[in-house]
Amino acid sequence: MHIGILTGGGDCPGLNAVIRAVVRKAEKLNYRVTGIRNGWKGILENTTMELNRDSVSGILHRGGTILGTSRTNPYKMPDGEARVKQWFTDNAVDALIAIGGEDTLGVAAKLHLAGLKVIGVPKTIDNDLAGTDFTFGFDTSVNIAMEAIDRLHTTAESHNRIIVAEVMGRHAGWIALYAGLAGGADIILVPEEPFNIDVVCAKLRARHDRGKNFSIVVVSEGAKFETEGDEDGSFVLSSMEKDSFGHVRLGGIGAILATEIERRLGIETRSTVFGHIQRGGSPTAYDRVLGIRYGLHAIELVEAGRFGRMVALQGNKITDIDIADILGKMKYLDPDMYKLADVFTD
Ligand code: F6P
């Protein structure tokens, strides 16, 4: 058995834990593993590396991915699908493990329908993939953001300021909610619930009238104003350029919000964007263990000949679902979970 493995889309902490687990288990089964460089791009360009026990030694604690990643979509290339199929034949690859988010797994699902033997492993710091309770990378991001919020408290308090912290989270507010709750944020704004700026300012005003001299607002990059902004209320400022999966680059809502809060309340307000710091560096123990469990289950599926599956965490059990089941779906915050934050905001 010859397996190809690739990482696609945005990187996240824990990818190397998956790669290492796949390779170590494959070795026990006498399977050969070829690493594909830079996501689907590596198949189109035939850039690969042989993976064995030595090449995955010492990578468990490292962030990013030793394979590299990209947002290349083979279905946007002329003859993309045929070229991928040809690569399987030319390199005598029997099966592919694709580690990625909805875009990467969407390509994997199409390739499975086209007759290739594919297994998906879900990843995203945003934790918004359907079918699995948690994706690895999320816990690390939350811890990074929480620590940053802790640090904002001391500077905000020293200067009597409001600080708006913009965190990642394109469609769902998982990072904002978890980091905001854990970091003791005073207001948490998420994409799932468009916010009213009057209400936000009234809450901040009430808090400062009660004698507090600082506040921390955590906002997801994908959060939306109830009534302002572009047609769906969101601000898309960083770039209007789209990647090959059609996504524009988000960012900038924190700065807009800070300006508006200062203008309305007359309290000095700053904004800060945590950005890619949330995706870098060493994974937490939780993400390493989740990555290991996902990687081992992926290779068990290969061994069992069960292709077209995505590994998943449901409760505390590792299981697998039809890879096509996650497409076009999104795992949003449970509204009851979001309501928890209300207790701490007024
Ligand atoms: O999907 C994960 C994510 O980190 C999002 O939260 C964010 O919007 C996006 O990737 C940023 O992508 P890039 O690194 O390509 O700018």
Side-chain angles (χ1 to χ4, degrees):
M1 174 68 75
H2 180 193
I3 303 170
I5 181 167
L6 63 77
T7 51
D11 71 330
C12 81
L15 287 167
N16 288 325
V18 182
I19 297 166
R20 172 176 168 273
V22 165
V23 172
R24 292 290 295 270
K25 177 84 182 187
E27 204 170 68
K28 290 198 191 309
L29 298 167
N30 287 321
Y31 292 174
R32 179 179 161 205
V33 185
T34 293
I36 297 147
R37 305 297 314 271
N38 305 320
W40 300 111
K41 194 172 176 206
I43 291 193
L44 300 172
E45 297 178 350
N46 194 28
T47 43
T48 60
M49 63 197 272
E50 209 59 31
L51 292 178
N52 53 41
R53 197 180 176 126
D54 286 343
S55 51
V56 298
S57 168
I59 67 169
L60 179 59
H61 63 285
R62 282 173 54 192
T65 159
I66 59 161
L67 296 176
T69 186
S70 73
R71 295 195 188 274
T72 301
N73 180 353
Y75 282 92
K76 286 281 153 67
M77 310 284 166
D79 301 324
E81 183 180 286
R83 286 165 67 191
V84 175
K85 284 178 126 178
Q86 193 57 46
W87 180 87
F88 268 66
T89 310
D90 292 349
N91 293 279
V93 170
D94 301 300
L96 177 75
I97 296 178
I99 313 168
E102 201 202 355
D103 297 333
T104 305
L105 299 180
V107 171
K110 282 188 193 162
L111 291 172
H112 174 68
L113 284 179
L116 295 180
K117 294 176 173 165
V118 181
I119 301 290
V121 177
K123 69 89 228 177
T124 167
I125 63 162
D126 290 3
N127 198 38
D128 58 3
L129 268 184
T132 187
D133 290 351
F134 286 101
T135 43
F136 60 87
F138 169 65
D139 185 65
T140 307
S141 301
V142 166
N143 277 285
I144 293 168
M146 177 195 72
E147 204 208 316
I149 294 166
D150 287 349
R151 290 174 188 276
L152 291 181
H153 271 88
T154 58
T155 176
E157 192 167 11
S158 302
H159 285 268
N160 302 341
R161 283 174 174 159
I162 296 171
I163 298 190
V164 179
E166 180 181 310
V167 300
M168 282 191 174
R170 183 173 275 278
H171 307 289
W174 291 95
I175 298 177
L177 184 63
Y178 272 63
L181 281 175
D186 304 300
I187 306 256
I188 300 171
L189 304 172
V190 299
E192 288 89 337
E193 287 216 12
F195 64 87
N196 182 314
I197 186 73
D198 296 330
V199 174
V200 169
C201 286
K203 284 181 176 171
L204 290 168
R205 168 56 68 211
R207 179 178 148 84
H208 286 244
D209 286 350
R210 276 200 319 276
K212 282 290 180 190
N213 70 339
F214 76 97
S215 293
I216 304 291
V217 178
V218 173
V219 59
S220 301
E221 62 180 350
K224 299 170 178 67
F225 281 77
E226 213 170 63
T227 52
E228 299 175 56
D230 64 12
E231 77 255 356
D232 72 347
S234 62
F235 284 85
V236 177
L237 294 179
S238 289
S239 167
M240 291 306 288
E241 231 173 79
K242 291 189 175 167
D243 67 19
S244 73
F245 288 94
H247 305 304
V248 285
R249 202 181 307 153
L250 294 182
I253 192 160
I256 292 171
L257 197 52
T259 307
E260 199 50 28
I261 290 170
E262 182 167 303
R263 190 179 72 77
R264 289 173 181 232
L265 297 182
I267 301 171
E268 201 178 12
T269 306
R270 294 281 192 271
S271 69
T272 179
V273 181
F274 295 166
H276 289 83
I277 289 168
Q278 295 159 99
R279 279 213 327 236
S282 194
T284 56
Y286 182 89
D287 282 338
R288 294 181 202 193
V289 172
L290 185 57
I292 289 169
R293 294 177 80 195
Y294 277 172
L296 295 180
H297 193 65
I299 201 109
E300 280 162 17
L301 289 170
V302 172
E303 194 186 2
R306 297 180 58 225
F307 297 103
R309 310 294 294 170
M310 182 192 89
V311 305
L313 179 76
Q314 289 174 2
N316 195 28
K317 291 261 177 296
I318 299 290
T319 179
D320 52 88
I321 59 172
D322 189 327
I323 198 169
D325 276 358
I326 66 150
L327 304 179
K329 295 181 189 154
M330 195 57 64
K331 187 179 71 210
Y332 294 113
L333 280 175
D334 176 349
D336 289 341
M337 178 84 192
Y338 183 51
K339 284 205 172 56
L340 296 182
D342 286 350
V343 176
F344 306 101
T345 50
D346 45 23

